[in-house]
Amino acid sequence: MLDNLVPVSKQHSIGRVAATVHLAQSVLKVDKVFNKLNEDPKIAFKYPRRNISYLQSINLSANPQVVNMPTNNKIMNGFLFENFDAAGRLKGIFRLLNKDNKASITYETRIYVDWSTFYNEFLEEVKNFASAYPFYISAISLNYVDDFTWTSKEKIPVKEIFNPFTTLLNSKFLESDNSNLSFLIQNDQNSENIEEKIDVTFSNKVKKIVINHQYAKQIDNLEYSEEIFEKGNFGKYFDIAHDANKEILRDILSLDVQKKIGLTQK
């Protein structure tokens, strides 16, 4: 049956998860925020690798006849904190990124335990950042990557792994040897813009099945960081995003696979 379908973990299939808070403005003086966070011994201990990131800007002469005259300017556009497991593998990432006059802060883990553990770690990092740099939130997003390996020399039994009755996957996808299907779902729920991006891939060449799901919610009325924590809206937004990911998996995966990864009771 599906004994040869091996999820990335014994408890689940989540290979990576990243939660992002999108700020209404860019972060000024990145180095000062970076230094303030570095002063916290808990953060310094948790993240042994901490670096400011730079946007490499190359300015060329406007005269097309003048060549080989670039000027390199390094512009601070954020920072990156990283930690590792006992084997030296990248485990957790906390980063700030300034782009297009707005900023985002992201917490990502490559070794996922469960939603409660991940969310509490993420919340701690966001609160640490907010204490150093209070901000207004314009949107949130949550990205899950589910990863499976097919260990048999036989072809991947696509119709046994995926739900053949789902409306999200077409017959050409289910009947192919290697395929990638990407789609976008947009909803305006209670005047709140919701967007979901789903990318489903399987390959008999590399014997992999990967499902990449991103949920994003725009917050029309900007919310201040301190107030959103006090009101409980922050956790509510991400709980809804987490549930949306599970619903997508329940829609596209067969019941046998759902049981294998603990999505449905055996």
Side-chain angles (χ1 to χ4, degrees):
M1 296 278 288
L2 292 177
D3 292 339
N4 293 307
L5 183 68
V6 181
V8 71
S9 168
K10 292 181 180 180
Q11 289 76 34
H12 54 74
S13 57
I14 300 166
R16 179 174 65 82
V17 58
T20 300
V21 177
H22 302 270
L23 280 59
Q25 69 285 330
S26 60
V27 173
L28 304 176
K29 299 181 179 179
V30 170
D31 53 338
K32 288 192 175 182
V33 180
F34 176 82
N35 290 335
K36 191 168 184 178
L37 291 173
N38 265 334
E39 292 172 358
D40 187 333
K42 292 182 180 179
I43 294 177
F45 178 77
K46 183 176 181 180
Y47 295 100
R49 181 184 291 173
R50 305 179 301 280
N51 293 296
I52 290 178
S53 59
Y54 294 89
L55 175 67
Q56 195 77 7
S57 177
I58 301 178
N59 299 318
L60 299 175
S61 171
N63 185 347
Q65 295 181 348
V66 178
V67 295
N68 298 325
M69 295 180 62
T71 302
N72 295 335
N73 297 316
K74 293 175 67 177
I75 302 172
M76 281 185 288
N77 70 337
F79 56 70
L80 181 67
F81 292 0
E82 297 173 301
N83 60 26
F84 308 86
D85 66 7
R89 298 172 300 178
L90 182 61
K91 177 183 178 183
I93 297 171
F94 181 64
R95 67 174 174 268
L96 163 71
L97 178 64
N98 273 336
K99 186 177 181 181
D100 299 329
N101 297 319
K102 290 187 178 182
S104 62
I105 49 177
T106 299
Y107 177 69
E108 175 182 332
T109 183
R110 306 288 177 88
I111 303 178
Y112 183 83
V113 178
D114 56 41
W115 172 245
S116 178
T117 301
F118 173 80
Y119 175 75
N120 288 330
E121 290 175 348
F122 167 55
L123 180 61
E124 181 181 7
E125 303 305 345
V126 175
K127 285 186 173 181
N128 286 336
F129 182 90
S131 66
Y133 191 92
F135 55 84
Y136 283 92
I137 300 174
S138 63
I140 64 96
S141 60
L142 183 65
N143 179 214
Y144 274 99
V145 178
D146 289 82
D147 197 333
F148 302 83
T149 300
W150 181 249
T151 60
S152 172
K153 293 182 180 179
E154 301 295 324
K155 284 187 177 182
I156 297 173
V158 179
K159 291 184 179 180
E160 294 181 33
I161 293 173
F162 295 103
N163 173 14
F165 304 106
T166 178
T167 57
L168 296 177
L169 305 177
N170 57 46
S171 58
K172 287 188 176 180
F173 175 89
L174 295 171
E175 294 169 2
S176 58
D177 291 332
N178 307 285
S179 191
N180 169 259
L181 186 63
S182 300
F183 45 96
L184 176 68
I185 301 172
Q186 294 179 322
N187 289 308
D188 186 2
Q189 301 176 356
N190 300 320
S191 301
E192 296 175 337
N193 293 322
I194 306 293
E195 182 176 284
E196 293 183 74
K197 295 179 181 178
I198 301 100
D199 187 277
V200 186
T201 302
F202 73 89
S203 171
N204 276 291
K205 294 180 180 179
V206 296
K207 300 295 185 180
K208 297 285 288 185
I209 301 99
V210 179
I211 302 168
N212 191 324
H213 174 247
Q214 179 166 299
Y215 173 101
K217 169 186 170 57
Q218 181 179 329
I219 301 173
D220 292 330
N221 297 320
L222 302 181
E223 298 193 43
Y224 190 56
S225 53
E226 183 175 348
E227 293 176 353
I228 198 172
F229 299 140
E230 291 179 353
K231 293 179 179 178
N233 288 346
F234 192 79
K236 176 183 174 182
Y237 292 152
F238 279 97
D239 282 341
I240 292 173
H242 171 63
D243 289 341
N245 175 74
K246 291 192 291 185
E247 286 306 310
I248 287 292
L249 294 180
R250 289 192 180 105
D251 194 338
I252 66 176
L253 292 175
S254 70
L255 188 58
D256 286 340
V257 176
Q258 292 181 43
K259 291 178 179 178
K260 182 181 280 284
I261 62 175
L263 195 59
T264 300
Q265 290 184 354
K266 298 181 179 180

